[in-house]
Amino acid sequence: ETGVTQSPTHLIKTRGQQVTLRCSSQSGHNTVSWYQQALGQGPQFIFQYYREEENGRGNFPPRFSGLQFPNYSSELNVNALELDDSALYLCASSPPGQSKNIQYFGAGTRLSVL
Amino acid sequence: TQLLEQSPQFLSIQEGENLTVYCNSSSVFSSLQWYRQEPGEGPVLLVTVVTGGEVKKLKRLTFQFGDARKDSSLHITAAQPGDTGLYLCAGARSGAGSYQLTFGKGTKLSVIP
């Protein structure tokens, strides 16, 4: 139990639709990262938020966007969904200070795009 | 692009056997982490190694970070069915204040009773 909770656990959407995934980070953790894990692959870094601002981004198009709120919870938004967006989306939170590279993962949201 | 190559991709062994999985990169990371992931769950952190040559033990699991901080290995002694899962290595790098993890594709381990 990492204290990181994600919702919903599963989601089915159709091509072209938009989706919002939510993450509640572990208490006291002010950094949130989002990853996409396709079937049979390792997680791929989407972006990171620190103190409500984007703090680093991986190789994902602008239709992937996010938000972090004052309580450090976070959202991942994906517009114009494509079939290849089907994946497990993982959120991870990190404590402040020198342990920022230690990330605690939630159980993920399984997104299926039909 | 910093890539982490894990080998083997799949491993099926009998309970009680020993095994080693490898994680290799051409790039240097500030630290390297090992995670285990079970179906339907997120990755769970097992260990973080920071110093080149570092060895850490976690019960029957031994983790080693290469001297040049580019590679790592995970050795499991006397594997048990509860060790079954996807083992992921992840390299941490920092840039402009962010800390990104680069994951390998993982080693899927099955321990047969």
Side-chain angles (χ1 to χ4, degrees):
Chain A
E1 188 64 48
T2 62
V4 179
T5 56
Q6 292 187 242
S7 62
T9 52
H10 296 86
L11 202 50
I12 299 174
K13 291 283 189 178
T14 55
R15 266 188 309 176
Q17 284 190 312
Q18 178 265 341
V19 70
T20 297
L21 311 181
R22 294 180 174 83
C23 172
S24 176
S25 58
Q26 191 177 126
S27 177
H29 287 193
N30 56 7
T31 300
V32 174
S33 305
W34 285 91
Y35 292 82
Q36 180 195 65
Q37 186 176 20
L39 204 59
Q41 303 290 320
Q44 277 198 293
F45 177 74
I46 304 175
F47 42 57
Q48 183 177 87
Y49 278 82
Y50 172 66
R51 291 187 175 178
E52 303 175 58
E53 293 201 2
E54 189 178 288
N55 190 37
R57 190 177 183 95
N59 190 26
F60 280 80
R63 57 190 186 84
F64 286 79
S65 63
L67 279 174
Q68 187 181 30
F69 300 99
N71 66 354
Y72 303 135
S73 65
S74 178
E75 284 182 357
L76 163 65
N77 298 290
V78 187
N79 293 323
L81 283 166
E82 300 175 1
L83 296 179
D84 284 351
D85 296 333
S86 295
L88 180 68
Y89 287 85
L90 295 162
C91 163
S93 72
S94 307
Q98 295 196 351
S99 301
K100 205 179 281 189
N101 65 334
I102 297 175
Q103 301 187 9
Y104 298 89
F105 285 82
T109 293
R110 172 75 61 188
L111 172 65
S112 299
V113 183
L114 306 178
Chain B
T1 305
Q2 295 175 311
L3 293 176
L4 277 171
E5 302 282 344
Q6 287 191 244
S7 62
Q9 252 188 297
F10 302 95
L11 193 53
S12 182
I13 61 171
Q14 295 287 332
E15 182 177 358
E17 291 184 349
N18 302 333
L19 67 115
T20 302
V21 299
Y22 300 93
C23 175
N24 296 294
S25 174
S26 57
S27 302
V28 175
F29 292 98
S30 57
S31 67
L32 198 137
Q33 300 171 17
W34 284 92
Y35 290 83
R36 186 172 81 201
Q37 185 178 24
E38 299 189 31
E41 301 291 329
V44 175
L45 180 66
L46 296 173
V47 78
T48 300
V49 284
V50 178
T51 307
E54 184 175 2
V55 176
K56 279 192 174 177
K57 291 195 174 185
L58 185 68
K59 297 182 181 177
R60 295 176 292 102
L61 278 59
T62 302
F63 305 85
Q64 185 160 8
F65 202 12
D67 290 340
R69 287 164 44 219
K70 292 183 180 181
D71 55 85
S72 181
S73 64
L74 157 60
H75 182 80
I76 302 179
T77 304
Q80 298 178 2
D83 296 327
T84 293
L86 179 68
Y87 288 82
L88 294 158
C89 67
R93 63 180 176 97
S94 61
S98 72
Y99 289 79
Q100 302 179 15
L101 291 181
T102 300
F103 281 85
K105 288 187 179 181
T107 292
K108 193 167 184 179
L109 172 66
S110 297
V111 182
I112 303 163

